Amino acid sequence: MGSIWELDFYSRPILDENQKKVWELLVCETPLDTRTNIDSLFRYAQYCPSTEVNSVWLRKALAEAINKAGVAPKRIRFFRRQMNNMITKACLDVGIPALPSRRTLVLHQWIQQRMESVYPQQPGYQPGSNPNVRLENPLPQRLPDALEGQQWGFVTLPAAEFASMPEWEIGFGEAFPLEIAQVSPQTSIPGILIFSPRALPLAGWISGLELAWVKFDQKEAKLVLETGAIESWILANIRKSQVAEANSFEEAKQKANGVHFIGIQSDPQAESFAGFWLLQEIN
């Protein structure tokens, strides 16, 4: 199936001898199921002088990372929208498609760890945040007409159930080890199940997106699926009678450190999933 990498190329809170920010490339492998050994995931880090921040340097560093890994990934995810052009060009130059994505859980955790324990040990360290430019998100889009009008419902599953997820019959999907999110086996994981006679086409369409997370927009009373770097889709309009349940979904998400799921089945009696994605909302 091939691996997926997560990539960040950005300045760090470290100044060089010319008082310029040092940049850094971080690459790590995305876990694809709940049984992945996190310690076995490929990781690569390389600092970049501020005078060499361009797609040429990034391409060469990526080639070194691929050489070290021994095999190229099938695609690369990155979350910094302001770096889109440089990252996309460098990735294409090494023959790998790059996709803006907020599904970069291991990368975010790794950056946080380095902010706390690695960068402070470097000469020229400057305490402070490592800001990301925030851009305004466009309004959520409607789902394609052929995929609207689905039946759906809020559900919960114990976190321990996900240990056997690799054995479930799933057409399209992706997951990660819950230890990444520091979720205990006793935690209740909230989710949304969608039932449709067009379950497989719907799951196939959703699988073509870079799923980030699902959230309840209280102001607009809508259930929204966030994808890619900035895209979002209206999964459902929430009626007044459903508001309490939608709020409970959000509360359960918070208790589970943002972890939740979305599943697609042909009907409530189905024992297989046309699609199933384990998700985590991150700030």
Side-chain angles (χ1 to χ4, degrees):
M1 182 174 65
S3 64
I4 299 172
W5 284 3
E6 302 168 14
L7 180 153
D8 187 36
F9 185 49
Y10 206 63
S11 63
R12 303 305 184 208
I14 305 170
L15 298 182
D16 61 19
E17 60 275 10
N18 297 316
Q19 301 301 297
K20 300 293 185 181
K21 280 282 187 73
V22 172
W23 282 57
E24 182 183 44
L25 167 66
L26 293 179
V27 170
C28 60
E29 186 179 354
T30 296
L32 299 178
D33 66 53
T34 56
R35 292 181 181 172
T36 301
N37 181 350
I38 299 176
D39 293 334
S40 69
L41 295 173
F42 174 72
R43 298 185 185 221
Y44 181 86
Q46 184 176 341
Y47 287 121
C48 172
S50 60
T51 55
E52 296 184 40
V53 176
N54 53 53
S55 62
V56 175
W57 184 95
L58 182 55
R59 174 184 59 78
K60 292 178 180 178
L62 273 174
E64 291 178 17
I66 293 169
N67 183 62
K68 183 176 180 181
V71 60
K74 63 180 180 181
R75 65 178 182 268
I76 292 176
R77 292 168 167 158
F78 66 95
F79 68 91
R80 294 194 196 270
R81 289 171 278 174
Q82 66 271 36
M83 299 300 296
N84 181 82
N85 291 344
M86 190 181 298
I87 291 175
T88 299
K89 185 178 189 312
C91 289
L92 290 179
D93 285 347
V94 294
I96 302 169
L99 300 173
S101 175
R102 283 170 282 181
R103 194 178 177 86
T104 51
L105 307 181
V106 176
L107 182 59
H108 274 84
Q109 185 182 75
W110 192 20
I111 291 173
Q112 186 58 40
Q113 290 172 346
R114 293 178 70 79
M115 289 289 289
E116 295 172 358
S117 60
V118 176
Y119 305 141
Q121 308 304 317
Q122 302 298 309
Y125 171 67
Q126 296 291 308
S129 63
N130 191 33
N132 181 16
V133 175
R134 292 189 176 275
L135 305 176
E136 290 296 322
N137 291 352
L139 294 174
Q141 306 171 67
R142 285 181 52 191
L143 288 172
D145 290 342
L147 303 177
E148 287 191 338
Q150 315 299 325
Q151 293 183 328
W152 62 275
F154 292 108
V155 294
T156 59
L157 282 175
E161 294 285 333
F162 289 91
S164 61
M165 186 175 165
E167 300 168 9
W168 300 355
E169 186 178 341
I170 299 173
F172 299 91
E174 190 175 332
F176 54 88
L178 288 177
E179 62 183 292
I180 289 177
Q182 299 179 326
V183 172
S184 69
Q186 294 75 34
T187 304
S188 291
I189 306 298
I192 296 157
L193 287 182
I194 299 174
F195 305 107
S196 169
R198 301 184 298 277
L200 199 58
L202 173 58
W205 180 81
I206 288 181
S207 73
L209 307 174
E210 281 291 308
L211 271 65
W213 54 76
V214 177
K215 69 178 183 182
F216 171 45
D217 185 332
Q218 293 181 318
K219 183 178 180 181
E220 299 295 331
K222 297 181 187 298
L223 202 60
V224 176
L225 173 64
E226 298 283 344
T227 67
I230 58 172
E231 296 82 18
S232 58
W233 308 82
I234 299 172
L235 279 182
N237 293 306
I238 301 297
R239 300 188 299 270
K240 288 185 177 181
S241 61
Q242 299 172 311
V243 169
E245 203 172 4
N247 283 328
S248 295
F249 167 77
E250 285 295 328
E251 291 170 5
K253 230 169 69 177
Q254 291 182 15
K255 292 178 181 178
N257 290 335
V259 176
H260 56 295
F261 64 88
I262 180 171
I264 300 173
Q265 293 180 296
S266 56
D267 59 72
Q269 286 72 46
E271 296 184 358
S272 62
F273 294 94
F276 195 102
W277 293 266
L278 190 58
L279 310 169
Q280 183 184 18
E281 183 170 352
I282 53 179
N283 297 320

